[in-house]
Amino acid sequence: MQMYLPFCGIAISNAQLFAASRKEYDRSRALLEVVNDLFEEQTDLEKIVKKIMHRAQTLLKCERCSVLLLEDIDSPVVKFTKSFELLSPKCSADTDNSFKDSVEKSSSYSDWLINNSIAELVASTGLPVNISDAYQDPRFDAEADQISGFHIRSVLCVPIWNSNHQIIGVAQVLNRLDGKPFDDADQRLFEAFVIFCGLGINNTIMYDQVKKSWAKQSVALDVLSYHATSSKAEVDKFKAANIPLVSELGIDDIHFDDFSLDVDAMITAALRMFMELGMVQKFKIDYETLCRWLLTVRKNYRMVLYHNWRHAFNVCQLMFAMLTTAGFQEILSEIEILALIVGCLCHDLDHRGTNNAFQAKSGSALAQLYGTSATLEHHHFNHAVMILQSEGHNIFANLSSKDYSDLMQLLKQSILATDLTLYFERRTEFFELVSKGGYDWNIKNHREIFRSMLMTACDLGAVTKPWEISRQATELVTSEFFEQGDRERSELKLTPSAIFDRNRKDELPRLQLEWIDSICMPLYECLVKLNAKLKPMLDSVAVNRGKWEELHQKRLPSHTASSSSFSSSFTMSLKDIN
C-alpha cells in the first residue's frame, strides 16, 4: 500500500491539474467568444447586452444575471436608465409564477430587479461586491427578495467601465447552480469578462449616438434647404402697417370663417391678438422682433394641403376666441396664455403632410431622431426653439430667467398636447374631474390637463365651425390623408387604412361620424360642463354631425345598420390617424 499510494497521489494530482486547466481553457474560450460577439453585434444595445448576459450565465453557471446601465455617467446621483435581466432555463421554470406575481405588485419591471441597492453601491463606489450569504449581509435588501419570490443565496456585482475609465453601469450574477458561493476565481473571471462587456456596450452606445447625430444633421439640412427667415422689407411693411381692431377682423368670434383672411391679413390679425391680450406690454416684446418672428414662423410652414400656416393661425384664433369669450383670462396666468398662443402658432411647424405613423413605417430621419412616440410634436417644438434662438427672433428676450424657463416648459407641454395619443391618455382624468365637480385651479396638474384639453379643442376646432367652413376643412385634411395613403401604397408597398385610402372616399361621411363621436363630441361636451359660454361650439358640432349623418344615410341601402356600429373599428385605427 505504501508503495502503491504515491502512484495514486500522482494520478489524482494529474487529474486535478487537468480539470483545472480544462476549466481555464473553457473560461478563456468563453472570453474569446464574448469578443467575437462584440464584433458581430454593435448596432443594437439590447441584443448585445442579452448576448453578454447569456455568456456570463454560461461562464459562471448561475441562476440569474442582470445588467443595469446608468442614465448619466457624469452625474453624482446614481440613476439607472436601462435594466436587463436573464434567468437560467432551470430557474425560470421554477419561478415563473412568482415572477408574474412580483411584476404585478411592482410599479414597473425595473422596480422588480433584484438588489438595486447593491447595484447602486457598486455604481457609486466602483468597487465589486461579493456576498457569500446574502441574508447575513446588512447591505442586502431582504424585503425586496421576499417580495420577488426569488430566494437569493449569493451575490456577485461588479462595475462596468468604458474606455475612459468611467462607470457606465453594473453587472450582477446571483446564486451559483451548484449552491456554493462565488469564490475569488469567479470574481476575477467576472471582472475580466466585464472589461469586454464595457467595451461592447460603450461602442454600441457610441454607434447609437452617431446614428442620432446623422439623423439630426439630416433633419437640420432638410429644414435649412426648405425654409428661410423673413426679409427686412417684409418686416418693415408689417411694422409700419395699421393693425385693424378685433371687431373689424372678427377674430373674437367662435364661428370665425377660417378662410376669410389672406396670408398677410393673418399676420396682422396675429399681431392684434398679441396686443389685445396685453402680451406685448406685459412681457416687453419688441414689436419689430414680433413681426419678424411671425413672418418667419409663417415661412416655416410647408405648402401642404391642411397642416399649413392657415391651420396654425386658425388654431390660434380659436384659442384667442375661447380665452376672451369664456373668460379663461381670469383663470389662467399671463405666462400660461402666452405659452398657449405661441404654442398654437408653432404647433405644426415644418409639418410634412404625413403623420407620426408614416414616420415610423418609413423609418424617416425624424423617427430615428425622436423615436416613434410623438415624433412630429417633438420636431415642431424643437423647430420653434430653433426659430426663437435665431438672431432677431427671440420674442421672449426681456423675460426674467425664471419666467423664460417656465414659459419654455409650458410651450413644450402645449405643443406636445396636440398628440392625440397624449389626449387619450389624459382625457379620462379630465372628464372625471369635471363630472364630479372636483376641478381645482390651484392644483398644478389640473391646470396642465386643462391647458392640454384647450390645445386639442383648438387643434380639432374645424368641427366646431359652421357647416360649409367645417366641410371645406374636412375636404382639405382628407385630401392630405389621401396623398399620404398614395405614398404608403407606392413607396412602402402597404395598403393604407380607410381614412387614408382614396379608393374608399365614399366612406368619408361614416368616418366623420366616428371621428366626431369618438374624439370630438366628448371633449366639447366636457368643456361646456366646465364653462357654459362654450355651448355654441358644441351646438355646431351637433349640427355638423347631423349633416354627416344625412350624407351617410344617402349612401346606405335601407337594410344597412346605422353609423354607430362602426365606431369600434375607427377607434382601433387612431394610431394610424395620429
Side-chain angles (χ1 to χ4, degrees), residues 281-459:
Q281 300 85 347
K282 168 64 181 176
F283 298 105
K284 299 177 182 177
I285 299 175
D286 180 75
Y287 191 70
E288 181 178 335
T289 302
L290 180 60
C291 292
R292 183 181 297 107
W293 176 80
L294 279 169
L295 287 164
T296 298
V297 166
R298 182 178 72 179
K299 279 181 175 290
N300 280 262
Y301 276 92
R302 300 197 179 200
M303 300 299 289
V304 294
L305 289 170
Y306 182 75
H307 291 97
N308 49 36
W309 162 246
R310 181 173 294 281
H311 168 66
F313 171 79
N314 290 335
V315 172
C316 184
Q317 179 278 322
L318 187 54
M319 179 66 75
F320 175 80
M322 291 177 71
L323 290 170
T324 54
T325 300
F328 291 137
Q329 280 178 281
E330 300 170 9
I331 296 169
L332 297 170
S333 67
E334 291 169 317
I335 203 164
E336 286 176 309
I337 292 172
L338 178 59
L340 288 171
I341 292 296
V342 173
C344 288
L345 290 170
C346 297
H347 83 282
D348 272 335
L349 275 169
D350 194 47
H351 199 292
R352 285 92 187 285
T354 52
N355 62 7
N356 285 332
F358 184 86
Q359 309 308 317
K361 292 173 186 175
S362 62
S364 69
L366 285 176
Q368 293 182 48
L369 181 58
Y370 299 110
T372 56
S373 176
T375 302
L376 288 171
E377 288 74 23
H378 279 98
H379 178 57
H380 303 325
F381 170 71
N382 287 341
H383 201 82
V385 172
M386 184 185 75
I387 293 174
L388 286 167
Q389 291 177 343
S390 301
E391 185 178 356
H393 289 80
N394 190 2
I395 58 175
F396 307 143
N398 293 320
L399 272 66
S400 67
S401 58
K402 183 182 184 306
D403 284 347
Y404 186 88
S405 177
D406 291 345
L407 179 60
M408 294 308 291
Q409 185 63 33
L410 292 169
L411 179 59
K412 185 174 185 178
Q413 290 173 359
S414 298
I415 293 176
L416 294 185
T418 58
D419 176 17
L420 274 182
T421 302
L422 184 62
Y423 161 66
F424 267 88
E425 287 176 1
R426 308 203 71 175
R427 76 173 191 171
T428 301
E429 185 179 358
F430 177 65
F431 292 171
E432 288 177 354
L433 284 169
V434 173
S435 64
K436 293 176 182 177
Y439 227 87
D440 188 342
W441 300 109
N442 295 315
I443 298 177
K444 183 180 178 181
N445 184 53
H446 289 197
R447 298 176 74 88
E448 183 182 337
I449 294 174
F450 173 67
R451 293 194 306 272
S452 296
M453 294 301 117
L454 278 185
M455 287 297 299
T456 303
C458 293
D459 195 19

Side-chain angles (χ1 to χ4, degrees), residues 90-280:
K90 175 182 179 297
C91 176
S92 60
D94 296 337
T95 61
D96 185 59
N97 292 332
S98 62
F99 170 84
K100 291 178 182 177
D101 293 340
S102 63
V103 170
E104 289 172 357
K105 290 176 183 176
S106 64
S107 59
S108 69
Y109 178 71
S110 61
D111 291 338
W112 178 79
L113 285 166
I114 306 296
N115 274 308
N116 269 5
S117 59
I118 300 295
E120 289 168 1
L121 176 65
V122 171
S124 60
T125 63
L127 299 174
V129 169
N130 189 347
I131 301 174
S132 58
D133 189 346
Y135 275 75
Q136 298 302 314
D137 195 294
R139 298 168 295 182
F140 177 74
D141 187 356
E143 184 178 348
D145 186 44
Q146 292 163 2
I147 291 173
S148 72
F150 177 84
H151 181 67
I152 297 176
R153 299 185 304 275
S154 54
V155 180
L156 177 56
C157 188
V158 299
I160 301 174
W161 305 84
N162 64 12
S163 56
N164 296 322
H165 204 65
Q166 295 172 298
I167 296 175
I168 59 175
V170 297
Q172 182 174 254
V173 288
L174 305 173
N175 297 359
R176 274 178 43 163
L177 290 174
D178 60 7
K180 297 178 182 179
F182 297 103
D183 55 27
D184 291 341
D186 291 328
Q187 183 173 324
R188 288 194 301 273
L189 177 64
F190 198 37
E191 287 177 314
F193 170 82
V194 166
I195 290 173
F196 297 109
C197 299
L199 292 172
I201 292 170
N202 188 60
N203 288 347
T204 305
I205 292 172
M206 288 177 65
Y207 177 85
D208 186 59
Q209 290 173 345
V210 168
K211 275 204 329 182
K212 285 190 175 180
S213 295
W214 174 86
K216 190 172 185 178
Q217 183 183 34
S218 178
V219 171
L221 290 172
D222 186 40
V223 169
L224 289 172
S225 66
Y226 188 90
H227 300 299
T229 57
S230 56
S231 67
K232 185 178 184 303
E234 287 180 306
V235 175
D236 291 341
K237 170 187 170 182
F238 285 97
K239 184 181 176 183
N242 291 321
I243 308 301
L245 299 174
V246 169
S247 56
E248 296 176 66
L249 293 164
I251 53 177
D252 58 343
D253 185 1
I254 292 288
H255 293 143
F256 173 81
D257 184 350
D258 288 353
F259 303 96
S260 62
L261 302 180
D262 61 30
V263 289
D264 284 350
M266 285 188 278
I267 294 290
T268 57
L271 288 167
R272 172 54 64 189
M273 285 188 273
F274 273 86
M275 291 187 286
E276 192 69 20
L277 291 170
M279 291 185 289
V280 175

